Amino acid sequence: MIKKVLWLLLLVTVIAVVMFWLNREQWLKDFNQERQQRTTQLKQQGSAFAKQANQQQCLEQSFKQLGKCFQFDCTLDQGVFLKSCLTQAQPSSGFCDGVPEYREKVTEDDKQWLKDGCWDKNLNGEGCRFLYKQQIHFCSVSKKTKEQ
């Protein structure tokens, strides 16, 4: 009896894998189309929010929307929202004060800054660090632009 159940499960698994393999191109096309639509929507939301916000409020709104969501999509979504918002929002006094400079390889001090920032917000995970890395990148680019 157990052997029959195991063989049946194996057969169902093989069929599912084959069906996925045969439909992978359509699945990828659908996934990319959904992400593109979601990205456009989030850029519009970020732009709309920025009309009545400063850069610090953009960052805070991204953290608020991220909340306790640990899914990869949440992180991507809030990164798109934040980037769109930061580029169009009013400057915030002190927004880049104390923010580490952007580097390809993150230093231990940078890691500690990220960890402390997320800890202070009672957020954990890659999503929080990703949003702070967006701030690091934004501030570094803004600084270089001002110097030129």
Side-chain angles (χ1 to χ4, degrees):
M1 175 70 173
I2 292 177
K3 282 187 176 185
K4 288 181 182 180
V5 171
L6 290 176
W7 278 109
L8 182 62
L9 286 173
L10 179 62
L11 180 63
V12 169
T13 303
V14 168
I15 290 172
V17 168
V18 168
M19 293 298 292
F20 178 77
W21 182 257
L22 293 174
N23 291 318
R24 71 188 183 283
E25 289 178 21
Q26 183 62 43
W27 176 86
L28 185 59
K29 181 180 175 185
D30 292 345
F31 173 79
N32 285 336
Q33 185 176 7
E34 288 173 20
R35 280 304 314 160
Q36 189 174 27
Q37 290 171 348
R38 183 74 177 138
T39 298
T40 300
Q41 179 185 24
L42 287 159
K43 284 180 179 180
Q44 291 170 348
Q45 289 174 0
S47 295
F49 187 82
K51 289 179 181 177
Q52 299 175 5
N54 62 34
Q55 293 162 339
Q56 185 62 41
Q57 290 169 321
C58 289
L59 184 61
E60 294 300 323
Q61 182 67 15
S62 294
F63 282 125
K64 181 179 176 185
Q65 291 174 173
L66 181 66
K68 299 293 182 185
C69 182
F70 295 105
Q71 295 177 342
F72 186 65
D73 286 356
C74 299
T75 301
L76 290 178
D77 290 351
Q78 294 318 306
V80 171
F81 174 90
L82 180 60
K83 185 175 182 179
S84 175
C85 192
L86 286 176
T87 57
Q88 299 176 47
Q90 293 296 316
S92 295
S93 176
F95 182 71
C96 293
D97 293 352
V99 175
E101 187 175 326
Y102 177 79
R103 296 175 185 83
E104 287 291 322
K105 184 166 172 62
V106 181
T107 66
E108 289 302 316
D109 288 340
D110 296 347
K111 290 177 186 177
Q112 189 62 45
W113 184 84
L114 292 166
K115 180 182 167 190
D116 291 344
C118 293
W119 188 265
D120 291 344
K121 295 207 173 305
N122 199 24
L123 290 171
N124 194 2
E126 280 300 312
C128 176
R129 290 188 292 276
F130 180 73
L131 293 179
Y132 272 128
K133 287 176 185 176
Q134 292 271 15
Q135 181 185 18
I136 290 170
H137 186 265
F138 176 82
C139 290
S140 292
V141 169
S142 294
K143 182 180 176 184
K144 287 180 184 176
T145 303
K146 288 177 185 177
E147 291 174 354
Q148 292 176 351

